[in-house]
Amino acid sequence: MTKKPAKAGSKGTPRARTSGQKGSADADGTPQETGKTEDLAPDTMPPGPTMTNNQGVGISDDQNSLKSHVRGPTLLEDIMMREKITHFDHERIPERVVHARGSAAHGFFQVYEDLSDVTMAQLFRDPKIQTPVFVRFSTVAGSRGSTDTPRDVRGFAVKFYTQEGVWDLVGNNMPVFFIQDAIKFPDLIHAVKPEPHNEIPQAQSAHDTFWDFASLTPESAHMLMWVMSDRGIPRSLTTMEGFGVHTFRLVNEDGKSRFVKFHWKPAKGVCSLVWEEAQLISGKDPDFNRRDLYEAIERGDFPEWELGFQIVEEEDEHKFGFDLLDATKIIPEELVPVRKIGKMTLNRNPDNFFAETEQVAFHTGHVVPGIDFTNDPLLQGRLFSYIDTQLRRVGPNFHEIPINRPLVPVDNNQRDGFGRQTINKGKVSYFPNSLGGGCPMHQPGAAAAFRSVALKEPGLKVRERSESFSDHFSQATQFWNSMSDWEKDHIAAAFSFELNQVVDEGVRNRTMNEILVNIAAELAEMVSGATGIEIAPAGTPEAPTPSAPTPSGPLKPNAASLKSPALSMDKPPPTIKGRKIAILGGDGVDDKEVQTALLLYAKEGLVAELIGPHAGAVEGASGKQLKVNRAAPNAPSVVYDAVLVPHGVGPALAAMPLAQRFIHEAYRHGKPVSVASDAGGLLEAAGVPEGDGVVVAEGSELLTGLLENLSQHRFPRRVSVLKPS
Ligand code: HDE
């Protein structure tokens, strides 16, 4: 008899759910489990001892097909082979049309204090509740197997399994968007995706169709600034901010509604890569960001973000000089401070990528009482699109899949469809009914029932854009003005890279003369110098003037034209926990120094790896064997944040092109480099000058100096990205 594989629990549908909401905590208060983990347990299967087919029948051999004789043809009768192969043939579901490449993690959210005054949502009212979350980060343009580090927006989608049902906050790592009206979304995505005739390029905006669209869409100017900034190439998914983008509403029990913008502030600060590094990582480690998130959680370095609210009273709606319903605008933090109201911690990796990360289905329309929508036309379109895409991608019963199902019971008269799990009893599946005692009933008075905010909608039914959406450049200019010198250098270099990839002269000219010159003359000049695109003197016939489909509007001075220091990334991160240090080793290395370094860096929560000429071990100066973490040919400089060259190996490394390149790249990418006094020759051979984060030192200064420099993240002024050397 074949035994069935042991399951982690028994399954019953509809499921009897325990309250399951509060996470249990360690003695020190560190939460270990969340209600969602318990909820998933009955569906989570460890590998069992014996193999069966899908009907539970034992399998004697699944490595040889059934043949008419030992060298004969395979028989149609081979039910085992056919079941195995047909299931394999159906393993894929359609990938997301955008945001296909994603990485996710479980965790929980906890509010700091009772916010009943602004919202009736339970998760914001009780600081004792740990609401389970599942968070999926993504790139937008690339397909599922594409690289982690293209220049792109990152998705930041959070599913909250609240006591009142599921709330999805489906945001990005940038607070604005390319377009103002959802009806343009298919055009935007068709333009940025690989061109349809040859399916090139993968996961890149640096091609003609994207810039054709962007140059004809002045409302994209502000978002272009964000994507061309280093925010488009985050160092880690854990060093990104997140934004709900749209203005939403919070509603309290009295029915009072206020506008709100949602912000996620990372505990590790906002840190990015540089473009050359990002491109190299794409080849050396396409899973760079995914690996970083996974490994951080595995070693207990749990990523955290604080959730912030920017709240605007209804009566203040029109005081900003831009429209709160326009998703191409931010509310500068200096005008309305971000109030930090709670914290999210990610503390568990998914058990199965497909079942969780791939099948999770977000929808902007998944809200709970206390959170409501505005008339932002981009948000309104998303409310339609997400449910539609989940029906197509995961199927009509996507809400029953373990990762998507709420922790509270679901009951309504929806029935059937592919993959239905619930066995609904009884003959009543309609409302109103008397045969089922009127059940399930509406809950008109219940706090847990969602009621839309009652709003007066004056005006004519029109297919038009509001005049209040017509200032496309003030905030793009504000973004530019808020940048430091090196950030400006990187932004201008990014525009230049993209426009140098564009073949069509009309598109290049239009981007310059319709978009960039309207953002900032300084930016236009920098890009002109690096692309050869001329800036047409205003009003001359050479100035291309295609008819843009939306009015670009006058440059209106408004409150938003001020500098907003919060936009700049030119600040040291609050912590460097999780950063990776490469220790270049080899036979004869000072093994005591290496061991001290490994201990010191581990104590600081850093990941230090000893790199040797090959896997295995190297022999230290004292004859001791030191374990090598990575072989030099497999350990590219770009996946580390800093380099240490201990005593004993400098002279040998100086003669090795691989080591020279390692150091040179680290230098170009602004990383701290600390070398022992016998490794000065290595710096010279690598063409790396001392100073500005490059240190030659002795003793403990060698090890601690590296830490001090790392606390700045990078030394971005060493190399001008705009003028490649
Ligand atoms: Fe999305 N978007 N989007 N989007 N979006 C999708 O839903 C769409 C927009 C965002 O990890 C799709 O499940 C429209 C803004 C994230 O699973 C689809 C418009 C923002 C994710 C869709 C937008 C986002 C998606 C594709 C214009 C930031 C990944 C597959 C109005 C606030 C979620 C899917 C995940 C995914 C439609 C614009 C964020 C087709 C029509 C603005 C993070 O429904």
XYZ file of all heavy atoms in Angstrom, residues 167-226:
490
model
N -7.397 44.278 1.932
C -7.119 45.593 1.337
C -5.811 45.487 0.550
O -4.799 45.057 1.092
C -6.978 46.669 2.429
C -6.530 47.995 1.883
C -6.941 48.579 0.710
C -5.582 48.909 2.459
N -6.327 49.787 0.528
C -5.493 50.029 1.579
C -4.818 48.905 3.625
C -4.659 51.111 1.840
C -3.991 49.988 3.881
C -3.907 51.085 3.005
N -5.860 45.869 -0.712
C -4.646 45.890 -1.538
C -4.222 47.335 -1.776
O -5.005 48.136 -2.314
C -4.903 45.252 -2.910
C -5.082 43.737 -2.836
O -4.725 43.133 -1.813
O -5.589 43.169 -3.824
N -2.995 47.657 -1.400
C -2.430 48.965 -1.724
C -1.423 48.711 -2.846
O -0.306 48.256 -2.607
C -1.762 49.575 -0.486
C -1.122 50.959 -0.657
C -2.084 51.964 -1.251
C -0.596 51.472 0.682
N -1.872 48.937 -4.081
C -1.086 48.535 -5.262
C -0.318 49.751 -5.764
O -0.801 50.496 -6.631
C -2.000 47.963 -6.362
C -1.187 47.124 -7.340
C -3.127 47.136 -5.771
N 0.858 49.950 -5.205
C 1.605 51.172 -5.498
C 2.889 50.921 -6.266
O 3.167 49.806 -6.719
N 3.652 51.976 -6.397
C 4.947 51.933 -7.080
C 6.023 52.555 -6.195
O 5.715 53.128 -5.150
C 4.886 52.733 -8.387
C 4.244 51.952 -9.537
O 4.106 50.734 -9.481
N 3.859 52.658 -10.566
N 7.283 52.488 -6.673
C 8.351 53.147 -5.916
C 8.534 54.601 -6.362
O 9.523 55.222 -6.018
C 9.672 52.384 -6.036
C 10.329 52.561 -7.396
O 9.636 52.719 -8.411
N 11.641 52.538 -7.437
N 7.615 55.089 -7.159
C 7.635 56.501 -7.574
C 6.241 57.068 -7.339
O 5.255 56.373 -7.552
C 8.009 56.608 -9.050
C 9.398 56.070 -9.300
S 9.870 56.062 -11.013
C 11.389 55.098 -10.871
N 6.142 58.323 -6.911
C 4.844 58.826 -6.449
C 3.932 59.373 -7.533
O 2.830 59.818 -7.236
C 5.259 59.952 -5.499
C 6.552 60.438 -6.049
C 7.237 59.266 -6.669
N 4.422 59.381 -8.777
C 3.590 59.915 -9.866
C 3.548 58.896 -11.000
O 4.195 57.850 -10.925
C 4.138 61.266 -10.383
C 3.910 62.353 -9.361
C 5.607 61.172 -10.761
N 2.789 59.210 -12.048
C 2.695 58.267 -13.160
C 2.832 59.012 -14.490
O 2.811 60.226 -14.541
C 1.375 57.489 -13.069
C 1.441 56.180 -13.801
C 2.349 55.208 -13.415
C 0.623 55.922 -14.891
C 2.445 54.011 -14.104
C 0.711 54.716 -15.582
C 1.612 53.763 -15.192
N 2.995 58.248 -15.579
C 3.251 58.822 -16.907
C 2.030 59.522 -17.508
O 2.171 60.392 -18.347
C 3.635 57.709 -17.892
C 4.928 57.024 -17.584
C 4.951 55.814 -16.916
C 6.133 57.569 -17.986
C 6.142 55.160 -16.648
C 7.332 56.931 -17.726
C 7.334 55.724 -17.052
N 0.864 59.059 -17.131
C -0.359 59.529 -17.801
C -1.400 59.910 -16.764
O -1.334 59.481 -15.610
C -0.924 58.443 -18.745
C -1.012 57.091 -18.017
C -0.088 58.318 -20.009
C -1.712 56.001 -18.771
N -2.366 60.682 -17.215
C -3.378 61.189 -16.278
C -4.697 60.446 -16.387
O -5.552 60.580 -15.511
C -3.620 62.682 -16.558
C -2.392 63.536 -16.318
C -2.577 64.964 -16.792
O -3.119 65.200 -17.874
N -2.113 65.920 -16.008
N -4.865 59.710 -17.472
C -6.156 59.050 -17.691
C -5.891 57.602 -18.098
O -5.081 57.333 -18.991
C -6.912 59.790 -18.807
C -8.354 59.319 -18.944
O -8.590 58.086 -18.907
O -9.244 60.167 -19.089
N -6.594 56.682 -17.446
C -6.344 55.258 -17.665
C -6.539 54.834 -19.115
O -5.931 53.862 -19.568
C -7.271 54.434 -16.771
N -7.329 55.577 -19.870
C -7.611 55.158 -21.245
C -6.329 55.175 -22.090
O -6.248 54.535 -23.134
C -8.737 56.031 -21.867
C -9.353 55.325 -23.074
C -8.237 57.422 -22.206
C -10.646 55.958 -23.573
N -5.292 55.882 -21.605
C -4.028 55.931 -22.350
C -3.070 54.796 -21.973
O -1.999 54.669 -22.557
C -3.321 57.274 -22.081
C -4.147 58.472 -22.482
C -3.447 59.774 -22.148
C -2.445 60.139 -23.232
N -2.080 61.564 -23.172
N -3.424 53.989 -20.985
C -2.486 52.984 -20.470
C -2.045 51.973 -21.538
O -0.847 51.697 -21.676
C -3.088 52.268 -19.260
C -2.105 51.445 -18.484
C -1.011 52.022 -17.857
C -2.259 50.065 -18.360
C -0.102 51.254 -17.131
C -1.358 49.288 -17.640
C -0.277 49.888 -17.027
N -2.985 51.425 -22.325
C -2.528 50.486 -23.355
C -1.528 51.134 -24.319
O -0.587 50.477 -24.781
C -3.828 50.098 -24.074
C -4.902 50.301 -23.042
C -4.453 51.510 -22.261
N -1.698 52.439 -24.618
C -0.751 53.112 -25.520
C 0.631 53.200 -24.872
O 1.647 52.904 -25.497
C -1.253 54.524 -25.842
C -2.617 54.488 -26.521
O -2.708 53.877 -27.587
O -3.587 55.043 -25.956
N 0.642 53.619 -23.602
C 1.915 53.728 -22.880
C 2.636 52.374 -22.884
O 3.837 52.289 -23.176
C 1.647 54.180 -21.436
C 2.812 54.016 -20.447
C 3.924 55.013 -20.755
C 2.348 54.189 -19.002
N 1.906 51.330 -22.548
C 2.546 50.018 -22.405
C 2.959 49.460 -23.771
O 4.054 48.898 -23.915
C 1.633 49.053 -21.625
C 1.367 49.615 -20.213
C 2.232 47.650 -21.544
C 2.621 49.950 -19.393
N 2.123 49.652 -24.790
C 2.543 49.213 -26.127
C 3.816 49.932 -26.547
O 4.682 49.367 -27.210
C 1.445 49.492 -27.156
C 0.257 48.587 -27.033
N -0.896 48.740 -27.767
C 0.048 47.502 -26.246
C -1.765 47.795 -27.424
N -1.209 47.029 -26.507
N 3.942 51.197 -26.137
C 5.115 51.966 -26.551
C 6.381 51.505 -25.828
O 7.463 51.463 -26.418
C 4.875 53.456 -26.296
N 6.253 51.131 -24.555
C 7.467 50.801 -23.788
C 7.874 49.338 -23.939
O 9.050 48.985 -23.819
C 7.298 51.163 -22.291
C 6.379 50.211 -21.550
C 8.650 51.238 -21.593
N 6.914 48.473 -24.218
C 7.226 47.036 -24.367
C 8.122 46.840 -25.601
O 8.234 47.736 -26.443
C 5.915 46.261 -24.550
C 5.161 46.016 -23.240
C 5.697 44.793 -22.518
C 4.929 44.504 -21.241
N 5.429 43.310 -20.551
N 8.753 45.664 -25.741
C 9.551 45.408 -26.941
C 8.747 45.734 -28.202
O 7.535 45.508 -28.241
C 9.844 43.909 -26.843
C 9.758 43.600 -25.387
C 8.732 44.530 -24.819
N 9.424 46.266 -29.205
C 8.706 46.687 -30.408
C 8.114 45.461 -31.095
O 8.749 44.390 -31.131
C 9.641 47.502 -31.296
C 10.047 48.789 -30.563
C 10.857 49.783 -31.383
O 11.037 49.588 -32.606
O 11.306 50.781 -30.784
N 6.905 45.604 -31.626
C 6.145 44.410 -32.010
C 6.686 43.663 -33.228
O 6.422 42.479 -33.395
C 4.744 44.955 -32.298
C 4.905 46.413 -32.489
C 6.110 46.831 -31.719
N 7.460 44.339 -34.096
C 7.917 43.630 -35.296
C 9.060 42.672 -34.994
O 9.183 41.642 -35.643
C 8.316 44.628 -36.384
C 9.433 45.548 -35.984
N 9.363 46.355 -34.872
C 10.652 45.776 -36.534
C 10.486 47.059 -34.766
N 11.282 46.713 -35.760
N 9.901 43.016 -33.947
C 11.053 42.135 -33.704
C 11.221 41.751 -32.230
O 12.187 41.120 -31.861
C 12.349 42.783 -34.224
C 12.601 44.146 -33.573
O 11.910 44.530 -32.635
N 13.593 44.845 -34.072
N 10.273 42.185 -31.382
C 10.317 41.858 -29.947
C 11.656 42.270 -29.308
O 12.244 41.574 -28.496
C 10.031 40.352 -29.736
C 9.883 39.885 -28.286
C 8.571 40.247 -27.593
O 7.728 40.907 -28.216
O 8.420 39.868 -26.417
N 12.131 43.458 -29.676
C 13.355 44.041 -29.116
C 13.023 45.483 -28.722
O 12.294 46.146 -29.473
C 14.495 44.056 -30.164
C 14.890 42.628 -30.577
C 15.725 44.799 -29.646
C 15.924 42.576 -31.719
N 13.536 46.021 -27.631
C 14.418 45.416 -26.651
C 13.623 44.952 -25.421
O 12.562 45.478 -25.126
C 15.319 46.585 -26.261
C 14.415 47.786 -26.336
C 13.402 47.490 -27.410
N 14.198 43.989 -24.725
C 13.571 43.432 -23.525
C 13.808 44.361 -22.334
O 14.940 44.758 -22.072
C 14.193 42.053 -23.262
C 13.688 41.349 -22.008
C 12.181 41.135 -21.995
O 11.502 41.603 -21.108
N 11.675 40.448 -23.001
N 12.728 44.671 -21.615
C 12.813 45.407 -20.346
C 13.588 46.722 -20.452
O 14.407 47.036 -19.612
C 13.462 44.517 -19.260
N 13.305 47.491 -21.472
C 14.011 48.767 -21.611
C 13.104 49.826 -22.205
O 12.313 49.534 -23.095
C 15.211 48.606 -22.557
C 16.346 47.815 -21.981
C 17.433 47.598 -23.012
O 17.873 48.527 -23.667
N 17.854 46.364 -23.157
N 13.291 51.035 -21.736
C 12.556 52.132 -22.364
C 13.414 52.821 -23.428
O 12.928 53.695 -24.139
C 12.136 53.147 -21.297
O 13.254 53.561 -20.546
N 14.680 52.428 -23.532
C 15.601 53.103 -24.444
C 15.391 52.639 -25.887
O 16.232 51.955 -26.468
C 17.049 52.855 -24.000
N 14.250 52.997 -26.453
C 14.008 52.680 -27.858
C 12.978 53.644 -28.442
O 12.290 54.352 -27.702
C 13.598 51.208 -28.052
C 12.382 50.773 -27.296
N 11.211 50.403 -27.909
C 12.154 50.645 -25.968
C 10.320 50.055 -26.983
N 10.869 50.188 -25.800
N 12.859 53.623 -29.764
C 12.098 54.667 -30.450
C 10.646 54.781 -30.013
O 10.135 55.881 -29.826
C 12.150 54.427 -31.968
C 13.482 54.881 -32.558
O 14.528 54.573 -31.950
O 13.461 55.555 -33.600
N 9.955 53.647 -29.867
C 8.512 53.773 -29.649
C 8.213 54.414 -28.296
O 7.275 55.203 -28.178
C 7.789 52.415 -29.785
O 8.385 51.465 -28.892
C 7.848 51.886 -31.207
N 9.022 54.097 -27.287
C 8.746 54.713 -25.982
C 8.928 56.229 -26.063
O 8.085 57.006 -25.607
C 9.640 54.139 -24.872
C 9.417 54.868 -23.566
C 8.254 54.663 -22.850
C 10.335 55.792 -23.088
C 8.010 55.373 -21.669
C 10.101 56.501 -21.914
C 8.934 56.284 -21.200
N 10.039 56.656 -26.665
C 10.311 58.101 -26.679
C 9.420 58.832 -27.672
O 9.151 60.026 -27.521
C 11.809 58.355 -26.891
C 12.530 57.992 -25.626
C 13.163 56.802 -25.350
C 12.583 58.754 -24.423
N 13.618 56.795 -24.052
C 13.280 57.986 -23.457
C 12.121 60.014 -24.051
C 13.514 58.452 -22.157
C 12.359 60.482 -22.764
C 13.055 59.700 -21.832
N 8.945 58.119 -28.674
C 7.948 58.711 -29.579
C 6.721 59.081 -28.752
O 6.234 60.214 -28.774
C 7.584 57.679 -30.655
C 6.708 58.256 -31.756
O 6.742 59.492 -31.964
O 5.979 57.464 -32.404
N 6.237 58.092 -27.977
C 5.053 58.322 -27.135
C 5.328 59.407 -26.094
O 4.546 60.344 -25.929
C 4.643 57.010 -26.452
C 3.475 57.159 -25.514
C 2.174 57.123 -25.992
C 3.668 57.346 -24.149
C 1.089 57.281 -25.131
C 2.598 57.499 -23.279
C 1.305 57.464 -23.782
N 6.466 59.290 -25.402
C 6.761 60.239 -24.314
C 6.880 61.664 -24.853
O 6.390 62.614 -24.242
C 8.045 59.828 -23.602
N 7.520 61.799 -26.014
C 7.734 63.153 -26.536
C 6.427 63.784 -26.998
O 6.320 65.004 -27.105
C 8.742 63.117 -27.688
O 8.208 62.361 -28.771
N 5.432 62.956 -27.273
C 4.115 63.472 -27.675
C 3.162 63.565 -26.485
O 1.993 63.893 -26.645
C 3.499 62.548 -28.745
C 4.177 62.567 -30.116
C 3.711 61.398 -30.954
C 3.895 63.884 -30.826
N 3.670 63.237 -25.299
C 2.812 63.190 -24.109
C 3.440 64.026 -23.002
O 4.079 63.499 -22.086
C 2.651 61.700 -23.659
O 2.280 60.914 -24.787
C 1.596 61.551 -22.580
N 3.281 65.348 -23.090
C 3.963 66.212 -22.110
C 3.584 65.903 -20.670
O 4.371 66.171 -19.762
C 3.505 67.628 -22.493
C 2.823 67.516 -23.804
C 2.510 66.093 -24.088
N 2.415 65.306 -20.454
C 2.036 64.999 -19.066
C 2.986 63.969 -18.448
O 3.000 63.775 -17.234
C 0.585 64.493 -19.014
C 0.380 63.082 -19.561
C -1.048 62.830 -20.062
O -1.499 63.578 -20.960
O -1.692 61.892 -19.581
N 3.805 63.303 -19.280
C 4.736 62.307 -18.744
C 6.017 62.945 -18.196
O 6.848 62.260 -17.587
C 5.107 61.267 -19.817
O 5.848 61.882 -20.850
N 6.185 64.286 -18.387
C 7.472 64.931 -18.075
C 7.916 64.677 -16.632
O 9.081 64.345 -16.377
C 7.390 66.429 -18.349
N 7.004 64.823 -15.684
C 7.404 64.666 -14.284
C 7.846 63.229 -14.007
O 8.895 62.985 -13.396
C 6.230 65.071 -13.371
C 6.586 65.122 -11.918
N 5.648 65.143 -10.926
C 7.782 65.145 -11.277
C 6.247 65.196 -9.746
N 7.542 65.183 -9.927
N 7.072 62.261 -14.498
C 7.421 60.850 -14.275
C 8.742 60.498 -14.960
O 9.540 59.713 -14.428
C 6.287 59.965 -14.803
C 6.522 58.487 -14.616
S 6.572 58.041 -12.851
C 6.413 56.256 -12.964
N 9.006 61.093 -16.119
C 10.278 60.819 -16.801
C 11.445 61.197 -15.896
O 12.466 60.506 -15.852
C 10.370 61.603 -18.119
C 9.435 61.155 -19.251
C 9.564 62.103 -20.444
C 9.744 59.716 -19.675
N 11.288 62.291 -15.157
C 12.365 62.713 -14.258
C 12.634 61.644 -13.199
O 13.781 61.347 -12.868
C 12.006 64.029 -13.569
C 11.849 65.199 -14.502
S 13.331 65.518 -15.447
C 14.399 66.188 -14.201
N 11.574 61.076 -12.665
C 11.751 60.042 -11.637
C 12.425 58.807 -12.229
O 13.343 58.239 -11.637
C 10.393 59.655 -11.038
C 9.881 60.658 -10.055
C 9.178 61.799 -10.343
C 10.045 60.634 -8.627
N 8.895 62.475 -9.175
C 9.407 61.787 -8.117
C 10.656 59.751 -7.741
C 9.369 62.078 -6.743
C 10.616 60.034 -6.373
C 9.984 61.184 -5.895
